[in-house]
Amino acid sequence: MSIAFATVQQFLDAPFDTVIDVRAPSEFAEDHVPGAINLPVLSDVERAEVGTVYKQSPFLARKLGAALVARNAADHIEGPLADKEGGWQPLVYCWRGGQRSNSFAIILRQIGWRVEVVDGGYKSWRKAVIGMLHDTLLPHRFVLIDGNTGTAKTDLLQRVAARDGQVLDLEGIANHRGSIFGGMGDQPAQKGFESRLAAALARLDPARPVLVEAESSRIGELSVPPALWAAMCAAPRIEVSAELGVRARYLAEAYADLVEDAELMAARLDQLVPLQGHARVDAWREMAARGDVVELAAALMAQHYDPRYEKARARHAPEVLAHVDLGDMSVAAREDAAAGITRFMEQL
C-alpha cells in the first residue's frame, strides 16, 4: 500500500516510527525528508550498474536489481533493523515511490511489520517543499533583527530562542555565518537547505511572531527561497546597535577560529579585492599579519560592511519597530537585550 502527502506538514506529522529513504547515498546526501534514515537498497555503484544493464535488457536489469535489493535488504534487517519489535511501523520512500521502495516494503511486510510506501516518493516531498517555499505566501509573521556587522545578532537570536521565543536560525540551517568570513564547514545542497527550512517553518506557530536575522538573499553558496525572501523584505525590524570599537572587539572574539588561521584569513581578504581594490586589501592583510585583529575588524566594518548594510536598508526602506542599544556588549548586556526583545515580541 502507498500513502500520499500533499504538504510538508502532512509529511512531518505522519504517525510512523521511522522514515526510511532507500535511495542511493548520493541521492540522500543531496536532500531527504528531515529525520529520515538512509537504508539504500542499491548503492551508487549498484544503481549505475543496473542502469547500464537496463539499456541492453530491461529484464536482465530487473533480475540483477532484485538480487542486489535482496542482499542489501538482508544486511539492513540483520543490522540497523535488528532490534525492531513486531509493532514497529516504518514509512519507506525512494525516488518516485516505485520499484526500490516497494521491493523493500514487500520484504518488511513479510516479516510482519506494518509498512507504508510514500506515493510519489521523494519527488512528492520535493513538490511539497517547492509549494511551500516557492509557490505560495508564507503564513508566518516575521520580525527581522537588524544591525550592522558585529552587533551579535546571531547570539541574540539564540538567547531569545532560549527564552521560548519563536526564531528561525537561517545561518544555523545554512551552516554559514553569512559573509565571506562566515564559513562553518560544508553547507548543505540547495535542495537540502530548503528541506531544512521547510521543516523548521512547519514547526513554528503562524499565530506568533517569528524573529529572524536580517540576511542577504544568499547565505554562503545558498539562496533564500523566494517565498521566504519576499516575506523578509516586507518584514518590520528590531534594530540593534553598538559603537564601532565595541563591535570590533566582539567580532574578533566571535571569529577567533578564522583569525588563528593566517592563510585562510589572507585568502578570504583576497576575495574583497574586486570590491575594495588592492591597496585597501593590502592594508587589511598587513593588519592581519601583525595580529592587529581588533583594528582589522574595525576597518572591515567601517570601510566595507557598514556602508553595504546602509545601501541594503535604503533599498528596502524597512519599518523599524524598536531600537536596542547593546552598550558594552557584555554577556549581561546581551542577556538584557534578549530579554527585552522577547518581551517586545510577545506583545506583537
Side-chain angles (χ1 to χ4, degrees):
M1 294 179 63
S2 63
I3 182 169
F5 301 101
T7 67
V8 167
Q9 195 72 55
Q10 288 175 5
F11 262 99
L12 300 178
D13 290 345
F16 292 91
D17 298 317
T18 310
V19 180
I20 301 174
D21 185 323
V22 300
R23 297 176 302 154
S26 63
E27 296 174 285
F28 182 83
E30 180 184 25
D31 186 28
H32 55 269
V33 176
I37 63 171
N38 188 211
L39 298 181
V41 295
L42 294 174
S43 70
D44 289 300
V45 173
E46 291 166 343
R47 181 167 169 254
E49 182 183 0
V50 171
T52 299
V53 174
Y54 189 88
K55 296 175 183 178
Q56 302 165 356
S57 169
F59 171 76
L60 291 177
R62 286 192 291 269
K63 185 178 178 181
L64 173 61
L68 294 171
V69 167
R71 274 192 216 107
N72 291 327
D75 289 340
H76 299 325
I77 293 166
E78 293 175 342
L81 306 183
D83 63 343
K84 303 303 181 186
E85 302 292 340
W88 178 63
Q89 297 184 56
L91 177 67
V92 177
Y93 71 88
C94 61
W95 179 253
R96 296 186 184 87
Q99 290 185 335
R100 285 186 287 177
S101 54
N102 279 290
S103 296
F104 190 53
I106 287 171
I107 296 172
L108 298 188
R109 287 193 191 106
Q110 291 303 306
I111 295 172
W113 287 317
R114 289 173 289 173
V115 56
E116 297 282 358
V117 172
V118 175
D119 185 24
Y122 162 80
K123 292 186 72 175
S124 66
W125 164 256
R126 180 61 186 162
K127 181 179 179 181
V129 170
I130 290 174
M132 180 184 195
L133 298 179
H134 291 253
D135 298 340
T136 59
L137 296 175
L138 290 169
H140 306 80
R141 293 189 294 128
F142 294 105
V143 175
L144 270 57
I145 182 167
D146 193 9
N148 286 336
T149 298
T151 49
K153 297 185 291 294
T154 301
D155 179 84
L156 292 173
L157 199 75
Q158 294 168 349
R159 292 179 188 276
V160 170
R163 293 173 173 273
D164 295 324
Q166 281 204 134
V167 307
L168 181 65
D169 184 1
L170 288 177
E171 292 186 356
I173 295 171
N175 200 37
H176 197 280
R177 289 178 289 200
S179 74
I180 64 167
F181 299 100
M184 298 164 60
D186 293 337
Q187 291 192 268
Q190 180 68 31
K191 290 180 180 179
F193 173 58
E194 292 183 7
S195 285
R196 295 181 189 184
L197 270 178
L201 287 165
R203 289 191 289 266
L204 298 174
D205 180 2
R208 298 173 58 206
V210 179
L211 189 67
V212 59
E213 186 173 342
E215 300 279 359
S216 69
S217 61
R218 290 187 66 80
I219 306 175
E221 297 298 317
L222 301 172
S223 297
V224 176
L228 178 57
W229 179 241
M232 289 174 63
C233 288
R237 307 183 178 211
I238 296 172
E239 191 175 83
V240 294
S241 65
E243 295 295 329
L244 180 64
V246 175
R247 289 190 285 133
R249 289 192 293 274
Y250 175 81
L251 206 64
E253 294 177 5
Y255 284 79
D257 55 337
L258 178 61
V259 170
E260 292 173 358
D261 190 334
E263 189 173 315
L264 179 58
M265 172 63 84
R268 296 287 172 82
L269 288 172
D270 284 345
Q271 295 179 47
L272 295 177
V273 169
L275 297 171
Q276 296 292 339
H278 287 282
R280 179 168 284 179
V281 172
D282 286 344
W284 293 341
R285 293 190 63 169
E286 289 176 8
M287 294 177 194
R290 293 195 305 267
D292 293 334
V293 179
V294 175
E295 181 184 1
L296 172 61
L300 282 167
M301 288 187 288
Q303 298 168 351
H304 178 70
Y305 284 107
D306 287 2
R308 292 172 71 85
Y309 268 88
E310 291 305 318
K311 287 181 180 179
R313 292 188 189 102
R315 285 197 302 269
H316 295 298
E319 175 190 1
V320 178
L321 298 176
H323 177 82
V324 177
D325 188 337
L326 294 173
D328 63 0
M329 289 186 63
S330 62
V331 172
R334 283 177 275 147
E335 191 62 31
D336 287 344
I341 291 169
T342 303
R343 289 193 298 269
F344 182 79
M345 294 284 289
E346 290 172 350
Q347 299 169 6
L348 295 178

